[in-house]
């Protein structure tokens, strides 16, 4: 089936700018005003001879801060976009790092069994402030310890840096999820898991 990639994250982290940078055209409106994107926007395009569906979503705020009406339904549509995608690009702001809300979104992605690529956007601003990639990565791994397998990419959608790695990484995760383990291996893993949780 077609690879479906949902672009999600908090408000004003650069999701729409990143989508436009991937497509190489102004497909969605970009504004400094948080909450510009209200609905999930589907875009089908050709990538390396294959059709790919990109889903741009509204920013997700903590449930306690989501206002009733349009914003509430925008958040619901963003969560539904994750559910119908194969892979999720979780976009975070390099200046703010991995926040509690980012972890909440990651937990939801994990709960619905979707692949995830963590994209640290606006890295150009972080570099200007002397942020170090290895230290930043270590901090993310420490906080995201329940998903140690997630790939982490550093980008600047505004200037186009790091964008060339996003879709190849997403496809790698997508193909990895499609692999089937041989039955003997699955049985052995299950047996070992059961044995490790057996009472003494």
């Amino acid at each position: 089936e077609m690879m479906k990639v949902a672009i999600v994250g908090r408000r004003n982290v650069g999701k729409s700018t990143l989508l436009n940078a991937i497509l190489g055209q102004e497909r969605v409106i970009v504004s400094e005003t948080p909450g510009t994107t209200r609905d999930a926007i589907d875009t089908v395009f050709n990538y390396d001879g294959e059709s790919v569906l990109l889903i741009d979503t509204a920013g997700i705020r903590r449930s306690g801060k989501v206002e009733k009406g349009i914003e509430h339904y925008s958040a619901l549509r963003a969560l539904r976009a994750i559910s119908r995608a194969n892979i999720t690009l979780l976009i975070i702001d390099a200046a703010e790092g991995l926040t509690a809300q980012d972890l909440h979104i990651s937990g939801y992605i994990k709960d619905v069994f979707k692949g995830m690529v963590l994209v640290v956007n606006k890295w150009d601003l972080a570099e200007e402030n002397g942020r170090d990639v290895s230290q930043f990565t270590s901090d993310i791994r420490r906080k995201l310890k329940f998903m140690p397998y997630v790939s982490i990419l550093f980008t600047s959608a505004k200037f186009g840096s790091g964008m060339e790695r996003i879709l190849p990484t997403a496809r790698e995760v997508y193909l990895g999820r499609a692999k089937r383990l041989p039955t003997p291996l699955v049985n052995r893993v299950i047996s070992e898991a059961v044995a490790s949780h057996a009472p003494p």
Side-chain angles (χ1 to χ4, degrees):
E1 63 176 13
M2 183 190 308
M3 182 172 73
K4 306 179 186 72
V5 182
I7 303 174
V8 303
R10 292 175 293 110
R11 305 206 305 177
N12 212 32
V13 295
K15 297 183 297 297
S16 296
T17 304
L18 185 134
L19 173 63
N20 288 337
I22 291 175
L23 296 174
Q25 58 179 302
E26 296 296 315
R27 173 67 177 82
V28 292
I29 298 172
V30 175
S31 171
E32 294 297 325
T33 304
T36 302
T37 303
R38 293 292 192 180
D39 205 347
I41 300 172
D42 289 12
T43 303
V44 177
F45 78 111
N46 185 284
Y47 169 66
D48 200 19
E50 298 178 4
S51 294
V52 174
L53 173 65
L54 290 178
I55 311 169
D56 186 32
T57 65
I60 303 173
R61 291 207 289 176
R62 291 201 305 270
S63 57
K65 290 190 174 183
V66 174
E67 299 173 3
K68 293 182 179 180
I70 294 175
E71 187 178 3
H72 172 72
Y73 288 106
S74 295
L76 284 179
R77 291 187 186 103
L79 295 177
R80 286 173 184 160
I82 295 174
S83 297
R84 65 189 178 94
N86 311 113
I87 306 297
T88 301
L89 301 179
L90 175 59
I91 317 301
I92 71 171
D93 190 324
E96 300 178 27
L98 193 68
T99 67
Q101 177 63 358
D102 296 323
L103 291 172
H104 176 75
I105 298 171
S106 301
Y108 179 80
I109 294 169
K110 182 175 184 290
D111 288 344
V112 294
F113 306 106
K114 304 297 180 178
M116 185 177 104
V117 177
L118 183 67
V119 180
V120 183
N121 194 31
K122 305 182 183 180
W123 185 246
D124 55 299
L125 300 178
E127 285 184 317
E128 290 178 3
N129 294 324
R131 298 298 297 270
D132 178 69
V133 170
S134 60
Q135 182 59 45
F136 200 97
T137 302
S138 297
D139 184 57
I140 290 175
R141 293 293 183 201
R142 178 177 55 81
K143 293 178 179 178
L144 201 63
K145 56 187 176 182
F146 60 92
M147 297 177 79
Y149 48 83
V150 168
S151 297
I152 303 172
L153 304 179
F154 293 84
T155 68
S156 171
K158 182 178 181 179
F159 296 104
S161 62
M163 303 302 300
E164 72 283 351
R165 296 185 57 201
I166 292 179
L167 288 180
T169 303
R171 185 161 66 174
E172 182 180 333
V173 175
Y174 173 71
L175 294 176
R177 286 168 48 85
K179 291 180 180 177
R180 294 184 180 275
L181 294 174
T183 302
L185 177 59
V186 173
N187 291 337
R188 180 167 63 82
V189 171
I190 293 175
S191 297
E192 291 175 354
V194 171
S196 67
H197 289 84

